[in-house]
Amino acid sequence: MKKLLLLSALLIFACSSDDSTSDDDNNNSSLLVSRMIEESLDQEDYSEYNFSYNGNKLNQIIINRYSSSEGAFAGVPERYKYEYYYTSDKISLIQEHEYSEATNSYYLTKYYELEYDSQGRFILNSSYDSNGTLYALNSVNWNSDGSCNVIVEAAQNTSDLEVESTAVYNFNNNGDISNSQVNYDIYDEDNCIPITRSLQYDNNNGAFKNTTSTEGFSKLIINLVVDYIPANNNALSWSQNSQCDDLNGVISWSYDYNEDGYPLTSIKRINNEPDTIITFEYLD
């Protein structure tokens, strides 16, 4: 299931409603997240995200990760940097950098070009390696009912792009994803697809709701490959169902909030088992 969660993270933020309105009453402050820490309860995995802004526009994220779990890179710290560039207040370019201990500096590994339609809705994410070779496309088509269809094409054994997955996303009145149906080609042979997902939310302020263009913020998560982080409200549960039991599961979150209804800490549970504690810090 872990592998599928990582794959889903690439899609789950591939589209976000730009016509969102909030019915909650927790709008009396405009906090911005300065740091987010995710630490597994067994203390084997640690991730730290440091955010910087220009006004409410996200400029940069520095990510520090460490895992003592078994594997080829166990015990080796990882450091990444994401830089964000805007056109008309929409994120149009994201550059991904990795840190080199040998040179004591970051080097470009990938970059992403984002495009929007005349209504300001996200319609395309083109992914390139550091040499400028296109290796993936996320295309979004908007429907009259506010839902969207997403097609992900990726290079397989050749430089030619092939359809890797298709999906339909629906949104609630606050602009967060309410449910989706995804078809992954890699699971077709096992007759696992379609895979359906549903989300439930609280009525409090999402940690990232004040970042310029909530819709634009959702795009940057495409490249973080983290578990679900909603923008407007906070997710309480995320469930996945298919014809294959090993792909099914439930993730849930519980929160402690500040006086303005923003999350301070969260406990993530996977299939009801406590797994990770998440801490949010905000700019003064």
Side-chain angles (χ1 to χ4, degrees), residues 7 21 44 50 70 115 128 190 211 215 227 260 270 278:
L7 287 170
T21 58
E44 289 190 350
N50 293 281
E70 294 182 5
E115 299 179 22
Y128 299 87
D190 298 325
T211 303
E215 185 271 344
D227 289 337
D260 292 321
I270 298 178
I278 306 168

Side-chain angles (χ1 to χ4, degrees), residues 22 24-27 174 176 201-207 209 230-236 255-263:
S22 178
D24 62 68
D25 297 323
N26 298 308
N27 295 312
N174 288 342
D176 286 316
Y201 301 87
D202 63 13
N203 292 316
N204 288 291
N205 291 311
K209 69 176 296 181
N232 294 294
N233 298 113
N234 303 291
L236 295 174
Y255 299 89
D256 290 322
Y257 305 93
N258 67 11
E259 60 184 6
D260 292 321
Y262 289 87

